[in-house]
Amino acid sequence: MTDTHIPADSNEIFEERRQKLQKLRETGWSYPNHFRRSHVALELHVAHDEKKPEELETTRIHVAIAGRMMLKRVMGKACFATLQDMSGRIQIYVTADTIGQAELDRFKQYDLGDIIGVKGFLFKTRTNELTIRAEHLILLTKSLRPLPEKFHGLTDLEQKYRQRYLDLITNEAARKVFSTRSRIIQSLRTFLTKRSFVEVETPMMHPIPGGAAARPFITHHNALEMDLFLRIAPELYLKRLVIGGMEKVFEINRNFRNEGLSTRHNPEFTMLEFYEAYSDYHDLMNLTELMLRNVTQEVTGSLKISYQGHLVDLEAPFQKFTLCEAIAHYHPSHTFENLGNRHYLEEQLNRLNITFSSTDGLEKLQVLLFEETTEHLLFNPTFIINHPAEISPLARRNDNNPDITDRFELYIAGRELANGFSELNDAEDQAARFAEQARQKEAGDQEAMIYDADYIRALEFGLPPTAGEGIGIDRLVMLLTDSPSIRDVILFPQLRPE
RNA sequence: GGGGCGGUAGCUCAGCGGUAGAGCACUCGGCUUUUAACCGAUUGGUCGUGGGUUCGAUCCCCACCCGCCCUACCA
């Protein structure tokens, strides 16, 4: 392919590099792919950084590495360059003595960003830096566009998100966030599979959106001539699997919600959902504590972590409050008696400019007050328990008070991280609650659920007593990597087209 | 959706009514142990887009586009 197409954003540097590429082609160079490396940079540092210069002189160690040239220092007849591969960086030293004048002259033409392969032997420089003395050098890929500035890297947030590869090339911190993300997911997966949970994949395209209160994305299947919804939650499918006898299942996958974007919301986000038969929401809270301590310790090496300058302590037992207990604990002026008084709640919400509906139940008003006054204060892990049935259409009713449910939400660093409950396995109650949701949808609530007759039929075969939970993976990654925005932990966050 | 801030060279950033600046990168020259190498000389711009005000606009005004932050819905 030697088309002469000139990109719209061409510039002088680009043109010079295209001309270099053209000359290379004329010498027969054609993106060689036969080069094989013996090591990555980090392996060499680990094995040889501590060796004395004489050691490396007496027994020559020959290696082959490849990587992107990030720094280059030409000093007449000798050159240093720094190559970067997946593991890190290592310096190479190039002189005519070892590779010949012709090869040295070619090397001088290589640009920052070019990908090269080097064979040579290790030595230590005067400043004791492990370096490869090049004996053979080959250009593997010509880079036509100049890299971002070598010292500051890429700082423009828009460009970091749109051209993540540049962020990854130039910012070590970005690379680290995404390798940590991988380790977090691996840790959760191992934790669950060790406890006999089976990992499954359920549909992303749903004929009926369900399992959460949210507005869905709509797509269309041509052959079936039907609209489908990108899933807002896998919940109802995972519970069908429990009915089918998969008593411990989990899924780590994407959910899609057609709502606003923010530093904490991306339209597609990753959720861990897991279901365990013959357990209840108390069991899941215990399991959650264990799992979060395990992943935090594995990934950060500590149970006391710092998030945006605030200490978060995952070592102490997680706090447990009902909604009203939490409000009263952080705002003693709101007494229990007051919080049970509709008139008082309406007065407080009006004072805070919170809009609510006259049809909202007492518990819904308490939730609104909690979200406004208390949620952001829950820095250390805190379970908020026993949410009103009104806003929990899939959760089992509490045995002592049918208006509340056996449910919890886990808050860390002032935001919701997990949501779990004892599952509603009374098919008739579930049918009634779907019917109520359908009424609310009719009344204009766009996030209310749709009556799912297929799910009711499944429930009618019998769902064992089960507890289930969802954990927002992106938010967990934010917490454990101290990232302020969800866009920092999603490789390609949603942006408007350029 | 509302409010605030921003968009100037490939990148990082100054400038703010009077011919557009620096560092890095690029090009050329010098330099055989450099470290964001260094020294010297160059090159590089529809100042986000479109209108308006003005003798003159990157700068002031208006609209729009894109981004970030806060806020609202939500996880």
Side-chain angles (χ1 to χ4, degrees), chain A residues 11 29 34 39 54 58 78 116 128 162 211 318 322 335 383 399 407:
Chain A
N11 62 58
W29 183 88
H34 61 274
H39 298 82
E54 307 81 59
T58 47
I116 62 181
N128 208 38
R162 286 196 198 281
F318 292 8
T322 64
T335 64
F383 288 113
D399 286 335
R407 177 180 174 188

Side-chain angles (χ1 to χ4, degrees), chain A residues 100-198:
Chain A
Q101 190 60 45
E103 192 57 52
L104 178 65
D105 289 340
R106 274 196 291 277
F107 174 72
K108 287 184 184 179
Q109 290 296 306
Y110 299 165
D111 294 300
L112 294 187
D114 287 353
I115 293 168
I116 62 181
V118 181
K119 289 181 185 172
F121 56 89
L122 296 171
F123 76 105
K124 289 285 193 82
T125 64
R126 282 178 194 160
T127 51
N128 208 38
E129 176 167 349
L130 184 69
T131 303
I132 298 166
R133 176 137 192 166
E135 293 176 304
H136 300 284
L137 209 148
I138 180 170
L139 177 68
L140 299 173
T141 305
K142 185 70 194 159
S143 172
L144 297 177
R145 294 181 184 268
L147 287 179
E149 210 249 7
K150 65 187 177 186
F151 186 60
H152 298 92
L154 194 62
T155 63
D156 182 72
L157 285 171
E158 181 176 357
Q159 211 173 343
K160 278 164 70 86
Y161 299 147
R162 286 196 198 281
Q163 295 175 269
R164 183 66 87 180
Y165 46 91
L166 289 180
D167 188 32
L168 293 170
I169 289 170
T170 55
N171 297 321
E172 157 104 49
R175 292 195 291 278
K176 193 160 175 232
V177 163
F178 292 104
S179 80
T180 301
R181 183 180 174 116
S182 169
R183 285 162 57 219
I184 288 169
I185 292 171
Q186 192 55 51
S187 169
L188 296 172
R189 182 171 274 134
T190 304
F191 181 94
L192 289 167
T193 50
K194 269 188 182 166
R195 283 165 179 75
S196 304
F197 281 84
V198 175

Side-chain angles (χ1 to χ4, degrees), chain A residues 194-308:
Chain A
K194 269 188 182 166
R195 283 165 179 75
S196 304
F197 281 84
V198 175
E199 181 167 11
V200 298
E201 290 166 280
T202 62
M204 311 294 281
M205 297 193 291
H206 291 183
I208 297 175
R215 292 162 65 183
F217 288 94
I218 304 173
T219 186
H220 185 79
H221 193 291
N222 292 337
L224 294 176
E225 288 183 28
M226 68 181 291
D227 283 345
L228 287 164
F229 302 90
L230 298 188
R231 75 178 191 189
I232 55 177
E235 170 150 355
L236 301 183
Y237 285 91
L238 292 172
K239 284 193 277 200
R240 284 176 173 97
L241 296 180
V242 181
I243 292 167
M246 301 182 79
E247 294 169 358
K248 297 170 104 180
V249 290
F250 75 98
E251 176 164 9
I252 299 173
N253 225 323
R254 225 67 67 79
N255 289 348
F256 307 85
R257 298 194 184 170
N258 205 340
E259 289 160 353
L261 291 73
S262 80
T263 45
R264 291 170 294 280
H265 301 86
N266 195 65
E268 51 181 304
F269 62 100
T270 301
M271 186 89 123
L272 162 64
E273 282 206 16
F274 53 100
Y275 290 80
E276 182 175 43
Y278 311 109
S279 72
D280 66 12
Y281 76 127
H282 289 293
D283 299 315
L284 275 199
M285 283 192 275
N286 292 335
L287 188 69
T288 303
E289 282 202 46
L290 279 177
M291 181 158 61
L292 289 185
R293 284 205 191 95
N294 182 70
V295 64
T296 303
Q297 182 71 45
E298 277 188 20
V299 165
T300 71
S302 168
L303 290 176
K304 296 184 197 298
I305 61 172
S306 167
Y307 184 71
Q308 301 296 300

